[in-house]
């Protein structure tokens, strides 16, 4: 359990060297946190995956709040929340299962399964999207279209732009 806690501490501290110390050479990782479900093999790919999480979090004050769920020898489970460290507002939730093993006298992470709720399930984003769409739909009353084609076209363009943005977000996940 301590090894997995070190993993989350390394993510919090944005410390790649600390990650390198606990990831096994033949580590396997399955995750949907950065993009759609992907598999990473080997220490280098797994560290690159965690490095991409660190880059996404950037200089923002995000923190992983972890809650152990399962501890059975070398298998550990954690439920986690990604929250703003200033306001403690949850941004996303996920869970992870980790299998550790001893390698050269040190406990290392051998397998990682880390999953996060889908992007549109994240509360702040979902509320923002919902309120935007509701405002746009409310403005589209039958009287609105009489003599106001220019404004109607603007709103339609904004909705199409929003749909295109969601499409791009979904498809750029495969590039990461």
């Amino acid at each position: 359990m301590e090894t997995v806690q070190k993993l989350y501490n390394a993510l919090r501290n944005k410390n790649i060297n600390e990650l390198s110390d606990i990831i096994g050479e033949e580590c396997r990782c399955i995750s949907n946190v950065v993009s759609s479900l992907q598999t990473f093999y080997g220490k280098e790919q797994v560290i690159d995956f965690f490095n991409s999480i660190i880059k996404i979090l950037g200089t923002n004050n995000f923190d992983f709040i972890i809650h152990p769920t399962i501890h059975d020898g070398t298998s550990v489970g954690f439920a986690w929340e990604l929250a703003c460290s200033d306001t403690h507002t949850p941004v996303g939730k996920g869970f992870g299962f980790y299998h550790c093993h001893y390698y050269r006298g040190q406990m290392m992470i051998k397998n990682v399964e880390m999953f996060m709720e889908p992007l549109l399930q994240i509360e702040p984003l979902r509320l923002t999207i919902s309120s935007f769409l509701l405002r746009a739909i409310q403005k589209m009353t039958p009287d609105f279209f009489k003599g106001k084609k220019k404004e109607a076209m603007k709103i339609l363009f904004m909705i199409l732009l929003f749909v295109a943005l969601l499409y791009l977000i979904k498809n750029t996940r495969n590039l990461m």
Side-chain angles (χ1 to χ4, degrees):
M1 186 176 306
E2 291 173 18
T3 303
V4 178
Q5 287 174 332
K6 287 179 185 177
L7 169 78
Y8 285 104
N9 287 335
L11 289 173
R12 278 186 199 114
N13 301 331
K14 299 169 180 46
N15 188 335
I16 298 298
N17 292 331
E18 196 174 328
L19 280 172
S20 182
D21 292 342
I22 57 172
I23 301 294
E25 290 296 326
E26 296 179 8
C27 185
R28 181 184 60 97
C29 175
I30 299 173
S31 179
N32 75 339
V33 173
V34 175
S35 63
S36 59
L37 190 63
Q38 290 184 318
T39 303
F40 306 95
Y41 295 102
K43 184 174 189 165
E44 185 177 330
Q45 284 187 2
V46 173
I47 289 176
D48 287 344
F49 161 70
F50 285 118
N51 192 29
S52 64
I53 291 176
I54 290 171
K55 285 180 182 177
I56 288 172
L57 297 178
T59 58
N60 299 325
N61 295 325
F62 290 109
D63 195 11
F64 281 95
I65 301 167
I66 57 174
H67 308 284
T69 57
I70 300 170
H71 183 245
D72 183 24
T74 58
S75 297
V76 181
F78 277 92
W80 52 267
E81 288 182 4
L82 185 60
C84 179
S85 58
D86 294 335
T87 63
H88 303 291
T89 304
V91 176
K93 295 179 184 177
F95 61 92
F97 296 105
Y98 309 88
H99 183 73
C100 301
H101 72 288
Y102 280 101
Y103 181 73
R104 295 184 183 171
Q106 182 180 357
M107 183 65 85
M108 307 286 278
I109 296 175
K110 183 176 181 179
N111 290 323
V112 176
E113 295 175 20
M114 194 171 182
F115 301 99
M116 185 173 184
E117 64 187 3
L119 183 63
L120 290 177
Q121 297 296 325
I122 297 174
E123 195 64 31
L125 180 62
R126 185 173 57 186
L127 290 174
T128 303
I129 291 170
S130 299
S131 66
F132 171 77
L133 290 176
L134 283 174
R135 283 192 310 258
I137 290 170
Q138 287 172 347
K139 289 181 179 180
M140 290 186 181
T141 62
D143 295 334
F144 178 77
F145 294 108
K146 292 181 183 176
K148 297 184 178 184
K149 290 182 182 178
K150 193 172 185 178
E151 285 107 20
M153 292 303 288
K154 285 180 184 176
I155 291 175
L156 181 60
F157 178 74
M158 289 186 339
I159 291 173
L160 290 175
L161 185 63
F162 180 72
V163 169
L165 180 66
L166 287 177
Y167 177 77
L168 285 173
I169 289 172
K170 180 181 178 202
N171 287 330
T172 56
R173 291 179 184 179
N174 296 330
L175 298 175
M176 291 184 173

